[in-house]
Amino acid sequence: SDFIFHTAGTPNVSGASRLTTAQQNVELTKEIFEHRDFVREPFIVVIANPVDIVSHAVERFSGVPAKKVVGTGTFIDSMRMSYYLSRLSKQKAVDFETFVLGEHGSSQVPIFSQTKLNGKPIFDDAGFSAKVLDLAAQLTRNAANKIRETQTGTTYGVSKCAESLMNYLLGNEEHLLTLSVLTDEHYRALLELEHDIYISLPVKVKNGKVELFNELDFSKEELDALRKSGSILAAVAQ
C-alpha cells in the first residue's frame, strides 16, 4: 500500500480525556506494527486516539521514518474553528485561515494571533471580541463531546481530513495544515522539550512531503499554552 490509515483503538468514555486510553492503544499499536515488514515504505496516517501518542507509537514500532508517519491531529480542530467563527460572525467558513495547535484534545491551543479573515488579521475586525473568540475556542474544544451526544464518536469529519491529506500528498499544490508530527530541533527548543514528541504543528504538504513550517509567530500566552500542551503529551509519552 502507498497509504495505511491506522484507526484501531479503544474509544474513550464520553466526556473523558482522550489520553485515558493511551496505554491500551499504544499496546494495540505495538501488536499491529511491531515486526511488520512492508513491501514498500508507506505513508501511515494515524486517526486512532490519542492521536499524538499513537502516532509516536506507530513511528517507534513500524520502522517507518517519522517523515512518513503523520497524525490527523488538530487538522479537524482547525476546520471546526473556521466553522464556529463563521457561525458566530455570519462570514463564510472558507474565508477564514485558522490554526489550532498542540494536543488534539483538551489542551489544544487556538492561535488567534495568526487567524485571518479574507487575508486580514482577525484582530483588525471589531466584530471579533475576546468574548467571541473565547466562545469559538470553547465550541471547538467541546465539539467531540457534542458529537458523542448522538453518535459513538467522530467519524465523518476526521475521515474527510484523512482523505484530504492523502489527496494533498498526491498533489503538487502546497497546503499549510495543522497535523500531528514529530518535533524537530526548532520546535523542541521552542516548546522547551527534553525529547521529541508528536504534537500538532503547522506543516507544508506538497508532492508527497510533509515539512514543518516554523515561520508562525506566537503571542506569549499562546506560546505558554503550547508549552503546557507539549509537557502534557511528553509526560504521557514517557
Coordinates of all heavy atoms in Angstrom, one line a residue, residues 150-199:
T150 N -25.0 12.1 20.3 CA -25.9 11.4 19.3 C -25.2 10.3 18.5 O -25.8 9.6 17.8 CB -26.5 12.4 18.3 OG1 -25.4 13.1 17.6 CG2 -27.4 13.4 19.0
Q151 N -23.8 10.3 18.6 CA -23.1 9.3 17.8 C -22.0 8.6 18.7 O -21.7 9.1 19.8 CB -22.4 9.9 16.6 CG -23.3 10.6 15.7 CD -22.6 11.4 14.6 OE1 -21.6 10.9 14.0 NE2 -23.0 12.6 14.3
T152 N -21.5 7.5 18.3 CA -20.5 6.8 19.1 C -19.1 7.6 19.1 O -18.3 7.4 20.0 CB -20.2 5.4 18.6 OG1 -19.8 5.5 17.2 CG2 -21.5 4.6 18.7
G153 N -18.9 8.5 18.1 CA -17.7 9.3 18.1 C -17.6 10.0 16.8 O -18.5 9.9 15.9
T154 N -16.6 10.7 16.6 CA -16.3 11.5 15.3 C -15.9 10.5 14.3 O -14.9 9.8 14.4 CB -15.2 12.5 15.6 OG1 -15.6 13.4 16.6 CG2 -15.1 13.3 14.3
T155 N -16.6 10.5 13.1 CA -16.2 9.6 12.0 C -16.1 10.4 10.7 O -15.1 10.4 10.1 CB -17.3 8.5 11.9 OG1 -18.6 9.0 11.8 CG2 -17.2 7.5 13.1
Y156 N -17.2 11.1 10.3 CA -17.2 11.7 9.0 C -16.2 12.8 8.9 O -15.5 12.9 7.9 CB -18.6 12.2 8.8 CG -19.7 11.2 8.8 CD1 -20.6 11.1 9.9 CD2 -19.8 10.2 7.8 CE1 -21.6 10.1 10.0 CE2 -20.7 9.2 7.9 CZ -21.6 9.2 8.9 OH -22.6 8.2 9.0
G157 N -16.1 13.7 9.9 CA -15.2 14.8 9.8 C -13.7 14.4 9.7 O -13.0 14.9 8.9
V158 N -13.3 13.5 10.6 CA -11.9 13.1 10.6 C -11.6 12.2 9.3 O -10.5 12.2 8.8 CB -11.6 12.3 11.9 CG1 -12.2 10.9 11.9 CG2 -10.1 12.3 12.1
S159 N -12.6 11.5 8.8 CA -12.4 10.7 7.6 C -12.1 11.7 6.4 O -11.3 11.4 5.6 CB -13.6 9.8 7.3 OG -13.8 8.9 8.3
K160 N -12.9 12.8 6.4 CA -12.7 13.8 5.4 C -11.3 14.4 5.5 O -10.6 14.6 4.5 CB -13.8 14.8 5.4 CG -13.7 15.9 4.3 CD -13.8 15.2 3.0 CE -13.8 16.3 1.8 NZ -13.9 15.7 0.5
C161 N -10.8 14.6 6.7 CA -9.5 15.2 6.9 C -8.4 14.2 6.4 O -7.5 14.6 5.7 CB -9.2 15.4 8.4 SG -10.1 16.8 9.0
A162 N -8.6 12.9 6.7 CA -7.6 11.9 6.2 C -7.6 11.8 4.7 O -6.6 11.7 4.1 CB -8.0 10.5 6.8
E163 N -8.8 11.8 4.1 CA -8.9 11.8 2.6 C -8.2 13.0 2.0 O -7.5 12.9 1.0 CB -10.4 11.7 2.2 CG -10.5 11.7 0.7 CD -12.0 12.0 0.2 OE1 -12.8 12.5 1.1 OE2 -12.2 11.8 -1.0
S164 N -8.5 14.2 2.6 CA -7.9 15.4 2.0 C -6.4 15.4 2.2 O -5.7 15.8 1.2 CB -8.5 16.6 2.8 OG -9.9 16.8 2.6
L165 N -5.9 14.9 3.3 CA -4.5 14.8 3.5 C -3.8 13.9 2.4 O -2.8 14.2 1.8 CB -4.2 14.2 4.9 CG -2.7 13.9 5.2 CD1 -1.8 15.2 4.9 CD2 -2.5 13.4 6.6
M166 N -4.5 12.7 2.1 CA -3.9 11.8 1.1 C -3.9 12.5 -0.2 O -2.9 12.5 -1.0 CB -4.8 10.6 1.0 CG -4.3 9.6 0.0 SD -5.4 8.1 -0.2 CE -6.9 8.9 -1.0
N167 N -5.0 13.2 -0.6 CA -5.0 13.9 -1.9 C -4.0 15.0 -2.0 O -3.4 15.2 -3.0 CB -6.4 14.5 -2.1 CG -7.5 13.4 -2.4 OD1 -7.1 12.3 -3.0 ND2 -8.7 13.6 -2.0
Y168 N -3.8 15.7 -0.9 CA -2.8 16.8 -0.8 C -1.4 16.2 -1.0 O -0.5 16.8 -1.7 CB -2.8 17.6 0.5 CG -4.1 18.3 0.7 CD1 -4.4 18.8 2.0 CD2 -4.9 18.7 -0.4 CE1 -5.6 19.5 2.2 CE2 -6.1 19.4 -0.1 CZ -6.4 19.8 1.1 OH -7.6 20.5 1.4
L169 N -1.1 15.0 -0.4 CA 0.2 14.4 -0.6 C 0.4 13.9 -2.0 O 1.5 13.9 -2.5 CB 0.3 13.2 0.4 CG 0.5 13.6 1.9 CD1 0.3 12.4 2.8 CD2 1.9 14.1 2.1
L170 N -0.7 13.5 -2.7 CA -0.6 13.1 -4.0 C -0.5 14.2 -5.0 O -0.1 14.0 -6.2 CB -1.8 12.2 -4.4 CG -1.8 10.8 -3.7 CD1 -3.1 10.1 -3.9 CD2 -0.7 9.9 -4.1
G171 N -0.9 15.4 -4.6 CA -1.0 16.6 -5.5 C 0.3 17.4 -5.5 O 1.3 17.1 -4.7
N172 N 0.4 18.4 -6.4 CA 1.6 19.2 -6.5 C 1.3 20.7 -6.0 O 2.1 21.5 -6.3 CB 2.1 19.2 -7.9 CG 1.0 19.6 -8.9 OD1 0.0 20.2 -8.6 ND2 1.3 19.3 -10.2
E173 N 0.1 20.9 -5.4 CA -0.1 22.2 -4.8 C 0.2 22.2 -3.3 O 0.0 21.2 -2.6 CB -1.6 22.6 -5.0 CG -2.0 22.8 -6.4 CD -3.5 23.3 -6.5 OE1 -4.1 23.5 -5.5 OE2 -4.0 23.4 -7.7
E174 N 0.8 23.3 -2.9 CA 1.2 23.4 -1.5 C 0.0 23.8 -0.6 O -0.7 24.7 -0.9 CB 2.3 24.4 -1.3 CG 2.9 24.5 0.1 CD 4.1 25.4 0.2 OE1 5.2 24.9 -0.2 OE2 3.9 26.6 0.6
H175 N -0.1 23.0 0.5 CA -1.1 23.3 1.5 C -0.5 23.5 2.9 O 0.4 22.7 3.3 CB -2.2 22.2 1.6 CG -2.9 22.0 0.3 ND1 -4.1 22.6 0.0 CD2 -2.6 21.2 -0.8 CE1 -4.5 22.3 -1.2 NE2 -3.6 21.4 -1.7
L176 N -0.9 24.5 3.6 CA -0.5 24.7 5.0 C -1.5 24.1 6.0 O -2.6 24.6 6.0 CB -0.2 26.2 5.3 CG 0.3 26.6 6.6 CD1 1.7 25.9 6.9 CD2 0.5 28.1 6.8
L177 N -1.2 23.1 6.7 CA -2.1 22.3 7.5 C -1.6 22.3 9.0 O -0.4 22.6 9.2 CB -2.3 20.9 7.0 CG -2.7 20.7 5.6 CD1 -2.8 19.3 5.2 CD2 -4.1 21.4 5.3
T178 N -2.4 21.8 9.9 CA -2.0 21.5 11.2 C -2.2 20.1 11.5 O -3.3 19.5 11.5 CB -2.9 22.3 12.3 OG1 -4.3 22.0 12.1 CG2 -2.7 23.8 12.0
L179 N -1.0 19.4 11.6 CA -1.0 17.9 11.7 C -0.1 17.5 12.8 O 0.8 18.2 13.3 CB -0.5 17.3 10.4 CG -1.3 17.5 9.1 CD1 -0.5 17.0 7.9 CD2 -2.7 16.9 9.2
S180 N -0.4 16.3 13.4 CA 0.5 15.7 14.4 C 1.7 15.1 13.8 O 1.6 14.1 13.1 CB -0.3 14.7 15.2 OG 0.4 14.3 16.3
V181 N 2.8 15.7 14.1 CA 4.1 15.3 13.5 C 5.2 15.3 14.6 O 5.0 15.9 15.7 CB 4.6 16.2 12.4 CG1 3.6 16.1 11.2 CG2 4.6 17.7 12.8
L182 N 6.3 14.7 14.3 CA 7.4 14.7 15.3 C 8.1 16.0 15.3 O 8.4 16.6 14.3 CB 8.4 13.6 14.9 CG 9.5 13.2 16.0 CD1 8.8 12.6 17.2 CD2 10.5 12.3 15.4
T183 N 8.4 16.6 16.5 CA 9.0 17.8 16.6 C 10.5 17.7 16.1 O 11.1 16.7 16.0 CB 9.1 18.3 18.1 OG1 9.6 17.2 18.9 CG2 7.7 18.7 18.6
D184 N 11.0 18.9 15.6 CA 12.4 19.0 15.2 C 13.1 19.8 16.2 O 12.6 20.2 17.3 CB 12.5 19.6 13.8 CG 11.9 21.0 13.7 OD1 11.4 21.5 14.7 OD2 11.9 21.5 12.5
E185 N 14.4 20.1 15.9 CA 15.2 20.9 16.8 C 14.6 22.3 17.2 O 14.6 22.7 18.3 CB 16.6 21.1 16.2 CG 17.6 21.8 17.2 CD 18.9 22.0 16.6 OE1 19.2 21.4 15.5 OE2 19.8 22.6 17.2
H186 N 14.0 22.9 16.1 CA 13.4 24.2 16.3 C 12.2 24.2 17.3 O 12.2 24.9 18.3 CB 12.9 24.8 15.0 CG 12.0 26.0 15.1 ND1 12.6 27.3 15.4 CD2 10.7 26.2 15.1 CE1 11.6 28.2 15.5 NE2 10.4 27.5 15.3
Y187 N 11.3 23.2 17.1 CA 10.1 23.2 17.9 C 10.4 22.5 19.3 O 9.8 22.8 20.3 CB 9.0 22.4 17.2 CG 8.2 23.4 16.3 CD1 8.4 23.2 14.9 CD2 7.4 24.4 16.7 CE1 7.7 24.1 14.0 CE2 6.7 25.2 15.9 CZ 6.9 25.1 14.5 OH 6.3 25.9 13.6
R188 N 11.4 21.6 19.3 CA 11.8 21.1 20.6 C 12.3 22.2 21.5 O 12.0 22.2 22.7 CB 12.9 20.0 20.4 CG 13.2 19.2 21.7 CD 14.1 18.0 21.4 NE 15.4 18.4 20.8 CZ 15.8 18.2 19.6 NH1 14.9 17.6 18.7 NH2 17.0 18.5 19.2
A189 N 13.1 23.1 21.0 CA 13.6 24.2 21.8 C 12.5 25.2 22.1 O 12.4 25.7 23.2 CB 14.7 24.9 21.0
L190 N 11.6 25.5 21.1 CA 10.6 26.5 21.3 C 9.6 26.0 22.4 O 9.2 26.8 23.3 CB 9.8 26.7 20.0 CG 8.8 27.8 20.0 CD1 9.4 29.1 20.1 CD2 7.9 27.7 18.8
L191 N 9.3 24.7 22.4 CA 8.4 24.2 23.4 C 9.1 23.7 24.7 O 8.4 23.2 25.6 CB 7.6 23.0 22.8 CG 6.8 23.3 21.6 CD1 6.0 22.1 21.1 CD2 5.8 24.5 21.8
E192 N 10.4 23.9 24.8 CA 11.2 23.5 25.9 C 11.0 22.1 26.3 O 10.8 21.7 27.5 CB 10.8 24.4 27.1 CG 11.0 25.9 26.8 CD 10.6 26.8 28.0 OE1 9.9 26.4 28.9 OE2 11.1 28.0 28.0
L193 N 11.2 21.2 25.3 CA 11.0 19.8 25.5 C 12.4 19.1 25.7 O 13.4 19.5 25.1 CB 10.3 19.1 24.3 CG 8.9 19.6 24.0 CD1 8.5 19.1 22.6 CD2 7.9 19.1 25.0
E194 N 12.4 18.1 26.5 CA 13.7 17.3 26.7 C 13.9 16.3 25.6 O 15.0 16.0 25.3 CB 13.6 16.6 28.1 CG 13.6 17.6 29.3 CD 13.7 16.8 30.6 OE1 13.8 15.6 30.5 OE2 13.7 17.5 31.6
H195 N 12.8 15.9 25.0 CA 12.9 14.9 23.9 C 11.8 15.2 22.9 O 10.8 15.9 23.2 CB 12.9 13.5 24.4 CG 11.7 13.2 25.2 ND1 10.4 12.9 24.7 CD2 11.5 13.1 26.6 CE1 9.6 12.7 25.6 NE2 10.2 12.8 26.8
D196 N 11.9 14.7 21.7 CA 10.9 14.9 20.6 C 9.6 14.2 21.0 O 9.6 13.1 21.5 CB 11.5 14.4 19.3 CG 12.5 15.4 18.7 OD1 12.3 16.6 18.8 OD2 13.5 14.9 18.2
I197 N 8.5 14.8 20.6 CA 7.2 14.2 20.7 C 6.4 14.5 19.5 O 6.8 15.3 18.7 CB 6.4 14.8 21.9 CG1 6.2 16.3 21.7 CG2 7.2 14.5 23.3 CD1 5.3 16.9 22.8
Y198 N 5.3 13.7 19.3 CA 4.3 14.1 18.3 C 3.4 15.1 18.9 O 2.8 14.9 20.0 CB 3.6 12.8 17.8 CG 4.3 12.2 16.6 CD1 5.4 11.4 16.7 CD2 3.7 12.3 15.4 CE1 6.0 10.8 15.6 CE2 4.2 11.7 14.3 CZ 5.4 11.0 14.4 OH 6.0 10.4 13.3
I199 N 3.1 16.1 18.2 CA 2.2 17.2 18.6 C 1.8 17.9 17.3 O 2.5 18.0 16.4 CB 2.8 18.1 19.6 CG1 1.8 19.1 20.2 CG2 4.0 18.8 19.0 CD1 2.4 19.9 21.4

